[in-house]
Amino acid sequence: MPPRALITGITGQDGAYLARFLLGKGYEVHGMVRRASTGSFERLTTIQHRLHLHQADLLDQLSLVTLLKTVQPSEVYNLAAQTFVPTSFVQPMLTAEFTALGVTRVLEAIRLVDPTIRFYQASSSEMFGRVRQEPQTENTPFWPRSPYGVAKAYGHWITVNYRESYGMFAVSGILFNHESPLRGIEFVTRKVSDGVARIKFGVQEKLRMGNLDSQRDWGFAGDYVEAMWMMLSQSTPEDFVVATGVKHSVRELLEKAFARAGLNWQDHVEVDPALLRPADVNTLRGDASKAREKLGWRPRIAFDELVAMMVDADLERVRREQTIDRDD
Ligand code: NDP
């Protein structure tokens, strides 16, 4: 029998990479999807026929219990969440329901249905917020600066609590930002790669940006989902930071992305104060020594290669769209 994994948030960036990775490892992969009037399976098109998709929602406890009884997985990867920091300021209650309480609902379902299921919680470097030390490790105290970060800190601690209270194999992966051509279009790296492509092809003139001084530790999503699986493959459940250990500013991201398309970012970028956040996280840089030593994990794709990959993918997409428009 192949091992069976259930991924919540399978339609998202990480879900798409993790599903491919687990299929490659011989897993039977099940995914939880929420009902919408339009499907959101674009990231899964090439593998959808190999997946088992089930309807359920983080807001609906009974749907999660039923899902676990139906699928009977040996591993659950809880990636589903309201993930966009600016939206968390506009919809803080909903963010707490999905991103914080949603974790408890999944853990409760596991506890009721089969407490031997291994559980991965997608925690975030946004929990470090106003950083207390540099670089950040598993032991750095949290100081989240957004409703998203606060909700993720709850998700982290409830995962630790179920491990300690019920002896469950529940782990929290504290992942620093990871990107790819499949990243949601509103996130800064993808907003930039998409903007560069649209400006290159004359579809858009300017790119409006918020804080250019923000610094992040950006890695490649394909590398990071491997660390999730490694965490569940250990003999004892532990939490890990996953990061490249190198940080770059949004300004550097702009420089590199525009240069990749032969453009000068200063000709095309406008800073819009309306895009600044009520409270911001200025800098994040992770120390993944523990993951390196205990999991044997290390990132393969560095920042320059990541930016090039994203810009090239968006240039190709916009070029294709332009061709289709011309042929109409
Ligand atoms: P995405 O925003 O791309 O995907 C989020 C997923 O959650 C989507 O599949 C979405 O479904 C699903 N979802 C949202 N709300 C619900 C709900 N109520 N019920 C069921 N499903 C729901 O996120 P990523 O793939 O980038 O991130 C995966 C996880 O990792 C998230 O928890 C994120 O917070 C965390 N993380 C991500 C980092 C990153 O840099 N990418 C860094 C650290 C942590 P739908 O398609 O229907 O919207």
Side-chain angles (χ1 to χ4, degrees), residues 197-251:
R198 292 164 67 82
I199 288 168
K200 179 76 180 175
F201 285 100
V203 185
Q204 181 176 320
E205 271 187 26
K206 296 285 179 193
L207 182 60
R208 289 166 52 243
M209 299 290 296
N211 183 2
L212 304 190
D213 297 320
S214 272
Q215 296 175 314
R216 290 289 182 278
D217 178 335
W218 280 298
F220 171 53
D223 290 342
Y224 285 44
V225 297
E226 192 171 353
M228 298 176 184
W229 170 77
M230 287 171 158
M231 285 181 220
L232 291 197
S233 308
Q234 297 300 294
S235 49
T236 46
E238 286 183 61
D239 308 322
F240 290 89
V241 159
V242 178
T244 68
V246 184
K247 66 181 177 185
H248 298 273
S249 67
V250 172
R251 189 174 281 99

Side-chain angles (χ1 to χ4, degrees), residues 21 219-220 222-224 226 230 244 296-303 305:
F21 176 80
F220 171 53
D223 290 342
Y224 285 44
E226 192 171 353
M230 287 171 158
T244 68
W297 178 85
R298 48 182 43 76
R300 295 191 188 91
I301 305 267
F303 181 69
E305 201 180 335

